[in-house]
Amino acid sequence: MNTRRILLLEESSWGGVQTMSRTLAEGLIAQSWQVTALPWRQTAWGTLVQAAKDHDVLVATHNFGPTYAGAALKAITGKPLVSWVHGPLQDVLHTARASTLKKLWLKQLYKQVSHFVCVSRTTQDSLMGFVKQLGGQQRCTVVPNGLGDLPPGQPLHVHAGHGGEGLAPLLLGYVGRLSEEKQPGFLLETMRFLPHHAQLGVVGEGPLHHKLVHDGMDLLYQGRVHFLGKHPSGASLYQPWHMTLLTSRYEGCPMTALESLACGVPCVALPIPAMRELFDRDAPYLLARGDTPVALAEAVMTVLSLPPEQVQADMARIVARHSLDSFVGQWQEVLRTC
């Protein structure tokens, strides 16, 4: 078997990226590859250089910080560098208000990348649109994120009150960072268009937490929104809910959506390109018909009106296209060509 020694350059903590990095490492090791994972910020430079010399391929687990370190290590050691791209680069740079100088620097840096791996066609299109002026042949492969077995996780305490008017509560969940690109304000507005027996649990923290509490004080008072803070990863994040919501301005291949579906819980999302790529083929009804809170609320009610057996079968087909075996197999093909 043509296996090679792989050095993963990681961020010490990066949410879904860290989860996928761990999934890749475990999958390759199970196939008898030699894999070393090092957090590039916390590892002494001399240790990184020696590790790069001792391995055949450098894999930067994100196209920013780890790729910066990877490009320097490639210049020193001559080892090929693979950069893993998790989101639509141009949207990320726009949201971060990146300067023209930063963009020019990135374009020069990306010339050092031997091979890009993108998590979706949406991500690939954005990356290629950004680097098309570089000249030469930019090698790029789409490898959608794969789903391993979710651990049970710790029980999530859900504050579910009565639904009122004799109705059982409709429990909705959100799992993710409370930050600008995730647009969590949509959650509050969507709740105002849903029946009063709908309740939302928000799992996650971030810079917009206090603003959300302030803006949603009426919903908090009514017991319709609950902020649950951080919670360890696992199936317990999704199983309490009838449905999860995804309100991001952009995504690459969102693990929260895939994990929700794998737990049998529909995920209703705004119709951004990555979500259309994920849902259009099998379950287009999981997408709002517009990028407004009322459209997202209408999508929730549409899913509720469908036969549960149909929804479960459609979700199962989506999950099946993101198997762990396929994910690891495609990565092996990329790494053998480097």
Side-chain angles (χ1 to χ4, degrees):
M1 181 182 293
N2 180 23
T3 60
R4 312 189 72 181
R5 296 167 298 173
I6 307 302
L7 175 62
L8 289 181
L9 301 170
E10 295 186 315
E11 292 286 356
S12 58
S13 178
W14 201 304
V17 174
Q18 186 183 45
T19 297
M20 289 313 304
S21 299
R22 184 170 59 250
T23 299
L24 176 60
E26 292 173 352
L28 291 175
I29 290 170
Q31 295 297 319
S32 301
W33 291 62
Q34 179 183 322
V35 180
T36 302
L38 294 176
W40 71 278
R41 291 182 189 271
Q42 286 74 33
T43 305
W45 184 247
T47 302
L48 285 175
V49 171
Q50 187 58 53
K53 291 178 179 178
D54 293 340
H55 291 75
D56 300 310
V57 182
L58 314 177
V59 175
T61 59
H62 199 282
N63 56 298
F64 291 115
T67 295
Y68 306 162
L73 292 171
K74 179 186 177 184
I76 294 170
T77 66
K79 299 298 175 69
L81 171 64
V82 178
S83 178
W84 199 351
V85 189
H86 296 268
L89 177 63
Q90 295 183 79
D91 291 322
V92 173
L93 294 176
H94 176 75
T95 300
R97 300 172 181 86
S99 67
T100 300
L101 184 61
K102 172 68 175 290
K103 294 175 183 177
L104 289 173
W105 180 79
L106 278 176
K107 287 177 181 178
Q108 294 303 312
L109 176 85
Y110 288 160
K111 288 182 179 180
Q112 308 307 314
V113 175
S114 310
H115 201 125
F116 289 102
V117 172
C118 294
V119 298
S120 62
R121 293 191 305 276
T122 297
T123 299
Q124 182 186 50
D125 290 345
S126 184
L127 174 69
M128 291 296 100
F130 180 77
V131 302
K132 64 183 179 182
Q133 304 95 339
L134 294 182
Q137 187 66 33
Q138 292 299 125
R139 300 176 65 194
C140 186
T141 302
V142 175
V143 180
N145 286 342
L147 277 169
D149 293 331
L150 281 178
Q154 299 176 9
L156 179 65
H157 181 61
V158 177
H159 301 270
H162 63 82
E165 300 178 358
L167 297 173
L170 168 62
L171 301 180
L172 306 174
Y174 170 84
V175 178
R177 183 168 165 76
L178 304 179
S179 55
E180 180 183 357
E181 73 277 7
K182 302 297 184 181
Q183 299 189 123
F186 258 75
L187 298 167
L188 303 179
E189 295 306 314
T190 298
M191 290 300 295
R192 295 189 174 103
F193 286 107
L194 286 169
H196 284 284
H197 67 284
Q199 299 181 27
L200 175 70
V202 179
V203 180
E205 295 181 350
L208 295 184
H209 175 81
H210 293 298
K211 176 173 172 53
L212 287 171
V213 171
H214 177 270
D215 293 347
M217 195 62 67
D218 58 321
L219 296 169
L220 286 165
Y221 180 76
Q222 296 165 16
R224 298 188 62 208
V225 171
H226 308 279
F227 291 92
L228 305 178
K230 288 185 177 180
H231 191 77
S233 179
S236 60
L237 284 176
Y238 305 96
Q239 290 172 339
W241 317 118
H242 296 113
M243 210 174 302
T244 59
L245 304 180
L246 193 148
T247 56
S248 301
R249 178 177 288 118
Y250 58 82
E251 288 283 355
C253 182
M255 290 305 296
T256 52
L258 288 172
E259 290 174 351
S260 183
L261 268 57
C263 292
V265 179
C267 176
V268 175
L270 296 178
I272 58 177
M275 299 311 299
R276 293 200 303 268
E277 184 177 339
L278 192 62
F279 288 163
D280 261 347
R281 178 172 163 184
D282 294 293
Y285 51 80
L286 293 176
L287 297 169
R289 295 187 177 182
D291 58 353
T292 63
V294 67
L296 192 63
E298 289 172 348
V300 169
M301 301 309 294
T302 296
V303 174
L304 288 175
S305 72
L306 295 173
E309 298 82 4
Q310 174 192 341
V311 176
Q312 291 297 320
D314 293 342
M315 293 193 301
R317 286 197 300 276
I318 295 171
V319 171
R321 292 202 300 273
H322 293 267
S323 71
L324 184 60
D325 288 345
S326 176
F327 169 73
V328 175
Q330 291 180 75
W331 261 100
Q332 289 183 91
E333 290 180 13
V334 169
L335 296 172
R336 286 179 183 134
T337 64
C338 291

PDB file of all heavy atoms in Angstrom, residues 231-266:
ATOM      1  N   HIS A 231     -21.441  23.371  25.392  1.00  0.00           N
ATOM      2  CA  HIS A 231     -21.778  21.995  25.755  1.00  0.00           C
ATOM      3  C   HIS A 231     -20.867  21.066  24.979  1.00  0.00           C
ATOM      4  O   HIS A 231     -20.592  21.310  23.794  1.00  0.00           O
ATOM      5  CB  HIS A 231     -23.247  21.699  25.424  1.00  0.00           C
ATOM      6  CG  HIS A 231     -23.735  20.404  25.999  1.00  0.00           C
ATOM      7  ND1 HIS A 231     -24.070  20.259  27.324  1.00  0.00           N
ATOM      8  CD2 HIS A 231     -23.917  19.188  25.435  1.00  0.00           C
ATOM      9  CE1 HIS A 231     -24.461  19.025  27.543  1.00  0.00           C
ATOM     10  NE2 HIS A 231     -24.371  18.347  26.418  1.00  0.00           N
ATOM     11  N   PRO A 232     -20.361  20.006  25.614  1.00  0.00           N
ATOM     12  CA  PRO A 232     -19.462  19.089  24.903  1.00  0.00           C
ATOM     13  C   PRO A 232     -20.122  18.495  23.666  1.00  0.00           C
ATOM     14  O   PRO A 232     -21.330  18.261  23.625  1.00  0.00           O
ATOM     15  CB  PRO A 232     -19.174  17.996  25.952  1.00  0.00           C
ATOM     16  CG  PRO A 232     -19.438  18.647  27.265  1.00  0.00           C
ATOM     17  CD  PRO A 232     -20.543  19.624  27.032  1.00  0.00           C
ATOM     18  N   SER A 233     -19.300  18.250  22.647  1.00  0.00           N
ATOM     19  CA  SER A 233     -19.804  17.694  21.398  1.00  0.00           C
ATOM     20  C   SER A 233     -20.385  16.307  21.622  1.00  0.00           C
ATOM     21  O   SER A 233     -19.928  15.546  22.479  1.00  0.00           O
ATOM     22  CB  SER A 233     -18.666  17.620  20.375  1.00  0.00           C
ATOM     23  OG  SER A 233     -19.122  17.068  19.155  1.00  0.00           O
ATOM     24  N   GLY A 234     -21.406  15.984  20.832  1.00  0.00           N
ATOM     25  CA  GLY A 234     -22.009  14.664  20.915  1.00  0.00           C
ATOM     26  C   GLY A 234     -23.451  14.687  20.458  1.00  0.00           C
ATOM     27  O   GLY A 234     -24.019  15.745  20.166  1.00  0.00           O
ATOM     28  N   ALA A 235     -24.044  13.525  20.387  1.00  0.00           N
ATOM     29  CA  ALA A 235     -25.431  13.416  19.939  1.00  0.00           C
ATOM     30  C   ALA A 235     -26.380  14.173  20.861  1.00  0.00           C
ATOM     31  O   ALA A 235     -27.457  14.611  20.438  1.00  0.00           O
ATOM     32  CB  ALA A 235     -25.831  11.946  19.855  1.00  0.00           C
ATOM     33  N   SER A 236     -25.988  14.346  22.119  1.00  0.00           N
ATOM     34  CA  SER A 236     -26.854  15.033  23.086  1.00  0.00           C
ATOM     35  C   SER A 236     -27.107  16.486  22.709  1.00  0.00           C
ATOM     36  O   SER A 236     -28.034  17.114  23.224  1.00  0.00           O
ATOM     37  CB  SER A 236     -26.230  14.983  24.485  1.00  0.00           C
ATOM     38  OG  SER A 236     -24.963  15.611  24.495  1.00  0.00           O
ATOM     39  N   LEU A 237     -26.293  17.050  21.809  1.00  0.00           N
ATOM     40  CA  LEU A 237     -26.514  18.416  21.349  1.00  0.00           C
ATOM     41  C   LEU A 237     -27.761  18.522  20.481  1.00  0.00           C
ATOM     42  O   LEU A 237     -28.342  19.601  20.351  1.00  0.00           O
ATOM     43  CB  LEU A 237     -25.307  18.908  20.546  1.00  0.00           C
ATOM     44  CG  LEU A 237     -24.064  19.314  21.328  1.00  0.00           C
ATOM     45  CD1 LEU A 237     -22.944  19.671  20.365  1.00  0.00           C
ATOM     46  CD2 LEU A 237     -24.370  20.500  22.231  1.00  0.00           C
ATOM     47  N   TYR A 238     -28.167  17.448  19.841  1.00  0.00           N
ATOM     48  CA  TYR A 238     -29.230  17.505  18.844  1.00  0.00           C
ATOM     49  C   TYR A 238     -30.480  16.727  19.236  1.00  0.00           C
ATOM     50  O   TYR A 238     -31.599  17.099  18.848  1.00  0.00           O
ATOM     51  CB  TYR A 238     -28.706  16.962  17.506  1.00  0.00           C
ATOM     52  CG  TYR A 238     -27.463  17.663  17.043  1.00  0.00           C
ATOM     53  CD1 TYR A 238     -26.195  17.139  17.306  1.00  0.00           C
ATOM     54  CD2 TYR A 238     -27.527  18.886  16.378  1.00  0.00           C
ATOM     55  CE1 TYR A 238     -25.046  17.790  16.895  1.00  0.00           C
ATOM     56  CE2 TYR A 238     -26.381  19.546  15.967  1.00  0.00           C
ATOM     57  CZ  TYR A 238     -25.138  18.995  16.237  1.00  0.00           C
ATOM     58  OH  TYR A 238     -24.003  19.651  15.837  1.00  0.00           O
ATOM     59  N   GLN A 239     -30.319  15.645  19.971  1.00  0.00           N
ATOM     60  CA  GLN A 239     -31.437  14.742  20.224  1.00  0.00           C
ATOM     61  C   GLN A 239     -32.602  15.365  21.007  1.00  0.00           C
ATOM     62  O   GLN A 239     -33.734  14.901  20.864  1.00  0.00           O
ATOM     63  CB  GLN A 239     -30.930  13.482  20.931  1.00  0.00           C
ATOM     64  CG  GLN A 239     -30.092  12.600  20.012  1.00  0.00           C
ATOM     65  CD  GLN A 239     -29.421  11.448  20.724  1.00  0.00           C
ATOM     66  OE1 GLN A 239     -29.233  11.475  21.940  1.00  0.00           O
ATOM     67  NE2 GLN A 239     -29.020  10.434  19.972  1.00  0.00           N
ATOM     68  N   PRO A 240     -32.372  16.414  21.821  1.00  0.00           N
ATOM     69  CA  PRO A 240     -33.532  16.996  22.518  1.00  0.00           C
ATOM     70  C   PRO A 240     -34.493  17.755  21.601  1.00  0.00           C
ATOM     71  O   PRO A 240     -35.615  18.036  21.987  1.00  0.00           O
ATOM     72  CB  PRO A 240     -32.896  17.950  23.531  1.00  0.00           C
ATOM     73  CG  PRO A 240     -31.481  17.486  23.683  1.00  0.00           C
ATOM     74  CD  PRO A 240     -31.113  16.963  22.334  1.00  0.00           C
ATOM     75  N   TRP A 241     -34.036  18.119  20.385  1.00  0.00           N
ATOM     76  CA  TRP A 241     -34.811  19.042  19.558  1.00  0.00           C
ATOM     77  C   TRP A 241     -35.684  18.310  18.541  1.00  0.00           C
ATOM     78  O   TRP A 241     -35.350  17.229  18.057  1.00  0.00           O
ATOM     79  CB  TRP A 241     -33.876  19.993  18.809  1.00  0.00           C
ATOM     80  CG  TRP A 241     -32.744  20.526  19.638  1.00  0.00           C
ATOM     81  CD1 TRP A 241     -31.420  20.353  19.429  1.00  0.00           C
ATOM     82  CD2 TRP A 241     -32.854  21.326  20.826  1.00  0.00           C
ATOM     83  NE1 TRP A 241     -30.686  20.972  20.412  1.00  0.00           N
ATOM     84  CE2 TRP A 241     -31.532  21.580  21.283  1.00  0.00           C
ATOM     85  CE3 TRP A 241     -33.936  21.839  21.537  1.00  0.00           C
ATOM     86  CZ2 TRP A 241     -31.279  22.329  22.423  1.00  0.00           C
ATOM     87  CZ3 TRP A 241     -33.674  22.579  22.675  1.00  0.00           C
ATOM     88  CH2 TRP A 241     -32.358  22.824  23.108  1.00  0.00           C
ATOM     89  N   HIS A 242     -36.775  18.962  18.167  1.00  0.00           N
ATOM     90  CA  HIS A 242     -37.569  18.512  17.019  1.00  0.00           C
ATOM     91  C   HIS A 242     -36.925  18.969  15.715  1.00  0.00           C
ATOM     92  O   HIS A 242     -37.115  18.350  14.663  1.00  0.00           O
ATOM     93  CB  HIS A 242     -38.990  19.075  17.105  1.00  0.00           C
ATOM     94  CG  HIS A 242     -39.759  18.584  18.295  1.00  0.00           C
ATOM     95  ND1 HIS A 242     -40.144  19.405  19.332  1.00  0.00           N
ATOM     96  CD2 HIS A 242     -40.189  17.340  18.624  1.00  0.00           C
ATOM     97  CE1 HIS A 242     -40.796  18.696  20.236  1.00  0.00           C
ATOM     98  NE2 HIS A 242     -40.828  17.432  19.836  1.00  0.00           N
ATOM     99  N   MET A 243     -36.169  20.055  15.793  1.00  0.00           N
ATOM    100  CA  MET A 243     -35.561  20.632  14.602  1.00  0.00           C
ATOM    101  C   MET A 243     -34.433  21.567  15.042  1.00  0.00           C
ATOM    102  O   MET A 243     -34.497  22.142  16.132  1.00  0.00           O
ATOM    103  CB  MET A 243     -36.618  21.438  13.832  1.00  0.00           C
ATOM    104  CG  MET A 243     -36.457  21.523  12.338  1.00  0.00           C
ATOM    105  SD  MET A 243     -37.906  22.356  11.602  1.00  0.00           S
ATOM    106  CE  MET A 243     -39.248  21.290  12.173  1.00  0.00           C
ATOM    107  N   THR A 244     -33.382  21.694  14.215  1.00  0.00           N
ATOM    108  CA  THR A 244     -32.352  22.699  14.472  1.00  0.00           C
ATOM    109  C   THR A 244     -32.409  23.768  13.389  1.00  0.00           C
ATOM    110  O   THR A 244     -32.921  23.536  12.287  1.00  0.00           O
ATOM    111  CB  THR A 244     -30.942  22.080  14.522  1.00  0.00           C
ATOM    112  OG1 THR A 244     -30.660  21.434  13.271  1.00  0.00           O
ATOM    113  CG2 THR A 244     -30.824  21.074  15.655  1.00  0.00           C
ATOM    114  N   LEU A 245     -31.862  24.933  13.696  1.00  0.00           N
ATOM    115  CA  LEU A 245     -31.857  26.065  12.772  1.00  0.00           C
ATOM    116  C   LEU A 245     -30.421  26.455  12.462  1.00  0.00           C
ATOM    117  O   LEU A 245     -29.546  26.423  13.336  1.00  0.00           O
ATOM    118  CB  LEU A 245     -32.590  27.263  13.382  1.00  0.00           C
ATOM    119  CG  LEU A 245     -34.042  27.042  13.831  1.00  0.00           C
ATOM    120  CD1 LEU A 245     -34.619  28.328  14.412  1.00  0.00           C
ATOM    121  CD2 LEU A 245     -34.903  26.540  12.691  1.00  0.00           C
ATOM    122  N   LEU A 246     -30.176  26.833  11.211  1.00  0.00           N
ATOM    123  CA  LEU A 246     -28.862  27.315  10.797  1.00  0.00           C
ATOM    124  C   LEU A 246     -29.072  28.622  10.041  1.00  0.00           C
ATOM    125  O   LEU A 246     -29.766  28.651   9.024  1.00  0.00           O
ATOM    126  CB  LEU A 246     -28.157  26.275   9.922  1.00  0.00           C
ATOM    127  CG  LEU A 246     -26.665  26.513   9.669  1.00  0.00           C
ATOM    128  CD1 LEU A 246     -25.916  25.187   9.515  1.00  0.00           C
ATOM    129  CD2 LEU A 246     -26.443  27.368   8.421  1.00  0.00           C
ATOM    130  N   THR A 247     -28.468  29.693  10.550  1.00  0.00           N
ATOM    131  CA  THR A 247     -28.735  31.036  10.025  1.00  0.00           C
ATOM    132  C   THR A 247     -27.489  31.711   9.451  1.00  0.00           C
ATOM    133  O   THR A 247     -27.470  32.925   9.269  1.00  0.00           O
ATOM    134  CB  THR A 247     -29.312  31.925  11.151  1.00  0.00           C
ATOM    135  OG1 THR A 247     -28.396  31.920  12.263  1.00  0.00           O
ATOM    136  CG2 THR A 247     -30.654  31.397  11.615  1.00  0.00           C
ATOM    137  N   SER A 248     -26.465  30.949   9.143  1.00  0.00           N
ATOM    138  CA  SER A 248     -25.173  31.512   8.736  1.00  0.00           C
ATOM    139  C   SER A 248     -25.262  32.339   7.459  1.00  0.00           C
ATOM    140  O   SER A 248     -26.036  32.040   6.550  1.00  0.00           O
ATOM    141  CB  SER A 248     -24.164  30.387   8.513  1.00  0.00           C
ATOM    142  OG  SER A 248     -23.990  29.616   9.675  1.00  0.00           O
ATOM    143  N   ARG A 249     -24.417  33.360   7.412  1.00  0.00           N
ATOM    144  CA  ARG A 249     -24.262  34.147   6.179  1.00  0.00           C
ATOM    145  C   ARG A 249     -23.539  33.336   5.120  1.00  0.00           C
ATOM    146  O   ARG A 249     -23.781  33.479   3.926  1.00  0.00           O
ATOM    147  CB  ARG A 249     -23.491  35.429   6.500  1.00  0.00           C
ATOM    148  CG  ARG A 249     -23.221  36.315   5.301  1.00  0.00           C
ATOM    149  CD  ARG A 249     -22.526  37.606   5.697  1.00  0.00           C
ATOM    150  NE  ARG A 249     -23.438  38.499   6.396  1.00  0.00           N
ATOM    151  CZ  ARG A 249     -23.273  38.912   7.647  1.00  0.00           C
ATOM    152  NH1 ARG A 249     -22.232  38.497   8.346  1.00  0.00           N
ATOM    153  NH2 ARG A 249     -24.128  39.734   8.203  1.00  0.00           N
ATOM    154  N   TYR A 250     -22.613  32.478   5.532  1.00  0.00           N
ATOM    155  CA  TYR A 250     -21.905  31.579   4.614  1.00  0.00           C
ATOM    156  C   TYR A 250     -21.458  30.358   5.395  1.00  0.00           C
ATOM    157  O   TYR A 250     -21.335  30.383   6.615  1.00  0.00           O
ATOM    158  CB  TYR A 250     -20.702  32.269   3.965  1.00  0.00           C
ATOM    159  CG  TYR A 250     -19.682  32.806   4.934  1.00  0.00           C
ATOM    160  CD1 TYR A 250     -18.718  31.981   5.501  1.00  0.00           C
ATOM    161  CD2 TYR A 250     -19.670  34.166   5.285  1.00  0.00           C
ATOM    162  CE1 TYR A 250     -17.787  32.471   6.401  1.00  0.00           C
ATOM    163  CE2 TYR A 250     -18.738  34.664   6.178  1.00  0.00           C
ATOM    164  CZ  TYR A 250     -17.802  33.815   6.742  1.00  0.00           C
ATOM    165  OH  TYR A 250     -16.884  34.298   7.625  1.00  0.00           O
ATOM    166  N   GLU A 251     -21.233  29.267   4.672  1.00  0.00           N
ATOM    167  CA  GLU A 251     -20.713  28.023   5.240  1.00  0.00           C
ATOM    168  C   GLU A 251     -19.884  27.327   4.170  1.00  0.00           C
ATOM    169  O   GLU A 251     -19.936  27.697   2.992  1.00  0.00           O
ATOM    170  CB  GLU A 251     -21.854  27.093   5.692  1.00  0.00           C
ATOM    171  CG  GLU A 251     -22.606  27.534   6.933  1.00  0.00           C
ATOM    172  CD  GLU A 251     -21.845  27.260   8.224  1.00  0.00           C
ATOM    173  OE1 GLU A 251     -20.764  26.642   8.156  1.00  0.00           O
ATOM    174  OE2 GLU A 251     -22.336  27.668   9.294  1.00  0.00           O
ATOM    175  N   GLY A 252     -19.128  26.309   4.601  1.00  0.00           N
ATOM    176  CA  GLY A 252     -18.405  25.473   3.654  1.00  0.00           C
ATOM    177  C   GLY A 252     -19.134  24.146   3.499  1.00  0.00           C
ATOM    178  O   GLY A 252     -19.813  23.888   2.508  1.00  0.00           O
ATOM    179  N   CYS A 253     -18.989  23.297   4.511  1.00  0.00           N
ATOM    180  CA  CYS A 253     -19.740  22.044   4.592  1.00  0.00           C
ATOM    181  C   CYS A 253     -20.061  21.864   6.076  1.00  0.00           C
ATOM    182  O   CYS A 253     -19.327  21.191   6.794  1.00  0.00           O
ATOM    183  CB  CYS A 253     -18.915  20.871   4.047  1.00  0.00           C
ATOM    184  SG  CYS A 253     -19.764  19.280   4.042  1.00  0.00           S
ATOM    185  N   PRO A 254     -21.137  22.472   6.559  1.00  0.00           N
ATOM    186  CA  PRO A 254     -21.346  22.630   8.004  1.00  0.00           C
ATOM    187  C   PRO A 254     -21.579  21.320   8.729  1.00  0.00           C
ATOM    188  O   PRO A 254     -22.524  20.582   8.448  1.00  0.00           O
ATOM    189  CB  PRO A 254     -22.581  23.535   8.079  1.00  0.00           C
ATOM    190  CG  PRO A 254     -23.285  23.314   6.782  1.00  0.00           C
ATOM    191  CD  PRO A 254     -22.203  23.086   5.771  1.00  0.00           C
ATOM    192  N   MET A 255     -20.719  21.036   9.697  1.00  0.00           N
ATOM    193  CA  MET A 255     -20.845  19.815  10.476  1.00  0.00           C
ATOM    194  C   MET A 255     -22.087  19.849  11.364  1.00  0.00           C
ATOM    195  O   MET A 255     -22.677  18.807  11.647  1.00  0.00           O
ATOM    196  CB  MET A 255     -19.595  19.599  11.326  1.00  0.00           C
ATOM    197  CG  MET A 255     -18.357  19.233  10.521  1.00  0.00           C
ATOM    198  SD  MET A 255     -18.632  17.795   9.463  1.00  0.00           S
ATOM    199  CE  MET A 255     -18.938  16.524  10.687  1.00  0.00           C
ATOM    200  N   THR A 256     -22.500  21.031  11.819  1.00  0.00           N
ATOM    201  CA  THR A 256     -23.690  21.091  12.653  1.00  0.00           C
ATOM    202  C   THR A 256     -24.909  20.563  11.901  1.00  0.00           C
ATOM    203  O   THR A 256     -25.733  19.834  12.468  1.00  0.00           O
ATOM    204  CB  THR A 256     -23.958  22.526  13.127  1.00  0.00           C
ATOM    205  OG1 THR A 256     -23.964  23.411  12.004  1.00  0.00           O
ATOM    206  CG2 THR A 256     -22.877  22.981  14.096  1.00  0.00           C
ATOM    207  N   ALA A 257     -25.032  20.917  10.626  1.00  0.00           N
ATOM    208  CA  ALA A 257     -26.163  20.428   9.830  1.00  0.00           C
ATOM    209  C   ALA A 257     -26.074  18.925   9.632  1.00  0.00           C
ATOM    210  O   ALA A 257     -27.056  18.195   9.800  1.00  0.00           O
ATOM    211  CB  ALA A 257     -26.201  21.145   8.481  1.00  0.00           C
ATOM    212  N   LEU A 258     -24.889  18.423   9.277  1.00  0.00           N
ATOM    213  CA  LEU A 258     -24.728  16.989   9.044  1.00  0.00           C
ATOM    214  C   LEU A 258     -24.946  16.189  10.322  1.00  0.00           C
ATOM    215  O   LEU A 258     -25.592  15.129  10.315  1.00  0.00           O
ATOM    216  CB  LEU A 258     -23.333  16.709   8.485  1.00  0.00           C
ATOM    217  CG  LEU A 258     -23.082  17.156   7.038  1.00  0.00           C
ATOM    218  CD1 LEU A 258     -21.611  16.988   6.682  1.00  0.00           C
ATOM    219  CD2 LEU A 258     -23.956  16.366   6.071  1.00  0.00           C
ATOM    220  N   GLU A 259     -24.410  16.674  11.431  1.00  0.00           N
ATOM    221  CA  GLU A 259     -24.583  15.965  12.695  1.00  0.00           C
ATOM    222  C   GLU A 259     -26.047  15.942  13.122  1.00  0.00           C
ATOM    223  O   GLU A 259     -26.545  14.931  13.646  1.00  0.00           O
ATOM    224  CB  GLU A 259     -23.708  16.602  13.773  1.00  0.00           C
ATOM    225  CG  GLU A 259     -22.225  16.359  13.563  1.00  0.00           C
ATOM    226  CD  GLU A 259     -21.355  17.104  14.554  1.00  0.00           C
ATOM    227  OE1 GLU A 259     -21.886  17.957  15.303  1.00  0.00           O
ATOM    228  OE2 GLU A 259     -20.143  16.853  14.586  1.00  0.00           O
ATOM    229  N   SER A 260     -26.746  17.047  12.901  1.00  0.00           N
ATOM    230  CA  SER A 260     -28.161  17.090  13.237  1.00  0.00           C
ATOM    231  C   SER A 260     -28.933  16.037  12.438  1.00  0.00           C
ATOM    232  O   SER A 260     -29.724  15.262  12.997  1.00  0.00           O
ATOM    233  CB  SER A 260     -28.730  18.488  12.952  1.00  0.00           C
ATOM    234  OG  SER A 260     -30.087  18.580  13.325  1.00  0.00           O
ATOM    235  N   LEU A 261     -28.689  15.993  11.130  1.00  0.00           N
ATOM    236  CA  LEU A 261     -29.365  15.005  10.295  1.00  0.00           C
ATOM    237  C   LEU A 261     -29.004  13.582  10.705  1.00  0.00           C
ATOM    238  O   LEU A 261     -29.863  12.689  10.719  1.00  0.00           O
ATOM    239  CB  LEU A 261     -29.005  15.230   8.828  1.00  0.00           C
ATOM    240  CG  LEU A 261     -29.941  16.136   8.007  1.00  0.00           C
ATOM    241  CD1 LEU A 261     -30.075  17.513   8.647  1.00  0.00           C
ATOM    242  CD2 LEU A 261     -29.443  16.279   6.572  1.00  0.00           C
ATOM    243  N   ALA A 262     -27.728  13.360  11.049  1.00  0.00           N
ATOM    244  CA  ALA A 262     -27.302  12.019  11.465  1.00  0.00           C
ATOM    245  C   ALA A 262     -28.005  11.580  12.744  1.00  0.00           C
ATOM    246  O   ALA A 262     -28.165  10.377  12.981  1.00  0.00           O
ATOM    247  CB  ALA A 262     -25.788  11.993  11.662  1.00  0.00           C
ATOM    248  N   CYS A 263     -28.428  12.539  13.558  1.00  0.00           N
ATOM    249  CA  CYS A 263     -29.169  12.223  14.786  1.00  0.00           C
ATOM    250  C   CYS A 263     -30.670  12.130  14.535  1.00  0.00           C
ATOM    251  O   CYS A 263     -31.456  11.991  15.488  1.00  0.00           O
ATOM    252  CB  CYS A 263     -28.884  13.286  15.845  1.00  0.00           C
ATOM    253  SG  CYS A 263     -27.189  13.264  16.474  1.00  0.00           S
ATOM    254  N   GLY A 264     -31.070  12.245  13.262  1.00  0.00           N
ATOM    255  CA  GLY A 264     -32.488  12.151  12.928  1.00  0.00           C
ATOM    256  C   GLY A 264     -33.264  13.422  13.168  1.00  0.00           C
ATOM    257  O   GLY A 264     -34.502  13.396  13.204  1.00  0.00           O
ATOM    258  N   VAL A 265     -32.556  14.554  13.319  1.00  0.00           N
ATOM    259  CA  VAL A 265     -33.199  15.837  13.605  1.00  0.00           C
ATOM    260  C   VAL A 265     -33.053  16.742  12.389  1.00  0.00           C
ATOM    261  O   VAL A 265     -31.929  17.099  12.005  1.00  0.00           O
ATOM    262  CB  VAL A 265     -32.555  16.506  14.844  1.00  0.00           C
ATOM    263  CG1 VAL A 265     -33.212  17.852  15.127  1.00  0.00           C
ATOM    264  CG2 VAL A 265     -32.660  15.587  16.046  1.00  0.00           C
ATOM    265  N   PRO A 266     -34.154  17.141  11.736  1.00  0.00           N
ATOM    266  CA  PRO A 266     -34.053  18.024  10.565  1.00  0.00           C
ATOM    267  C   PRO A 266     -33.351  19.336  10.916  1.00  0.00           C
ATOM    268  O   PRO A 266     -33.518  19.869  12.015  1.00  0.00           O
ATOM    269  CB  PRO A 266     -35.511  18.268  10.172  1.00  0.00           C
ATOM    270  CG  PRO A 266     -36.277  17.147  10.792  1.00  0.00           C
ATOM    271  CD  PRO A 266     -35.555  16.794  12.057  1.00  0.00           C
TER     272      PRO A 266
END
